[in-house]
Amino acid sequence: MWNISVASVGTEELGHLEMIGTIVHQLTRNLSEKDIKTAGFDAYFVDHTTGVYPAAASGFPWNAASIAVTGDVIADLTEDLSAEQKARVTYDNILRLSDDPDVNDVIKFLRAREVVHFQRFGEGLRLAREKMDQKNVYFTNPAFDK
């Protein structure tokens, strides 16, 4: 049904993480002790030095529990759509706060990718609905109805 592999999606998303990690590294690699304290970066620095540690801006660390997978194509694609929009909003917010043109160029690129991903997942959702409707399943997982 799908022409896209999970590996290719995962590779692209890891590429996004790599770009963000590179930006964070470039912005923090030459911080002085005074810079670290002034920026409020000292608590993070104590735990991670200037290493890239995946966490929300609030400091909450990323973990796999944030990936919602049900095995139901409609539920999972809807979750994917939501994740892409949340990422786009995050990039929009970074652009509101950043005045660094080099950072902004990368963030704009990543934001554009989120828009494309949203469109592709929407296309996948439409195709899944059409396929399921052909069998009179009406947006449920047909594997459970045998």
Side-chain angles (χ1 to χ4, degrees), residues 43-94:
Y44 179 95
F45 184 83
V46 167
D47 288 338
H48 311 289
T49 317
T50 57
V52 177
Y53 180 74
S58 62
F60 189 78
W62 181 88
N63 69 58
S66 66
I67 301 173
V69 176
T70 66
D72 180 282
V73 68
I74 301 299
D76 290 347
L77 286 170
T78 302
E79 179 73 25
D80 294 337
L81 286 162
S82 176
E84 297 300 337
Q85 287 299 86
K86 289 175 186 176
R88 183 200 46 81
V89 168
T90 298
Y91 292 139
D92 287 344
N93 291 337
I94 290 170

Side-chain angles (χ1 to χ4, degrees), residues 86-107:
K86 289 175 186 176
R88 183 200 46 81
V89 168
T90 298
Y91 292 139
D92 287 344
N93 291 337
I94 290 170
L95 289 169
R96 287 182 181 101
L97 298 174
S98 173
D99 61 1
D100 185 315
D102 293 329
V103 169
N104 292 354
D105 286 346
V106 175
I107 297 301

Side-chain angles (χ1 to χ4, degrees), residues 10-143:
T11 300
E12 169 123 5
E13 295 304 326
L14 286 173
H16 291 201
L17 181 61
E18 181 181 18
M19 287 180 228
I20 295 297
T22 299
I23 290 171
V24 171
H25 172 73
Q26 289 171 342
L27 293 172
T28 60
R29 69 178 171 218
N30 295 320
L31 291 177
S32 69
E33 184 178 330
K34 182 181 176 195
D35 294 334
I36 291 167
K37 289 179 181 176
T38 302
F41 192 54
D42 46 335
Y44 179 95
F45 184 83
V46 167
D47 288 338
H48 311 289
T49 317
T50 57
V52 177
Y53 180 74
S58 62
F60 189 78
W62 181 88
N63 69 58
S66 66
I67 301 173
V69 176
T70 66
D72 180 282
V73 68
I74 301 299
D76 290 347
L77 286 170
T78 302
E79 179 73 25
D80 294 337
L81 286 162
S82 176
E84 297 300 337
Q85 287 299 86
K86 289 175 186 176
R88 183 200 46 81
V89 168
T90 298
Y91 292 139
D92 287 344
N93 291 337
I94 290 170
L95 289 169
R96 287 182 181 101
L97 298 174
S98 173
D99 61 1
D100 185 315
D102 293 329
V103 169
N104 292 354
D105 286 346
V106 175
I107 297 301
K108 287 175 184 175
F109 168 79
L110 292 171
R111 183 183 61 183
R113 296 301 306 147
E114 302 304 340
V115 170
V116 170
H117 296 164
F118 181 82
Q119 292 167 340
R120 295 297 79 79
F121 282 127
E123 196 174 291
L125 182 58
R126 180 186 56 78
L127 292 170
R129 286 178 173 161
E130 288 174 6
K131 183 87 169 164
M132 289 177 169
D133 273 350
Q134 290 171 4
K135 296 180 180 182
N136 292 322
V137 175
Y138 304 106
F139 313 154
T140 61
N141 189 331

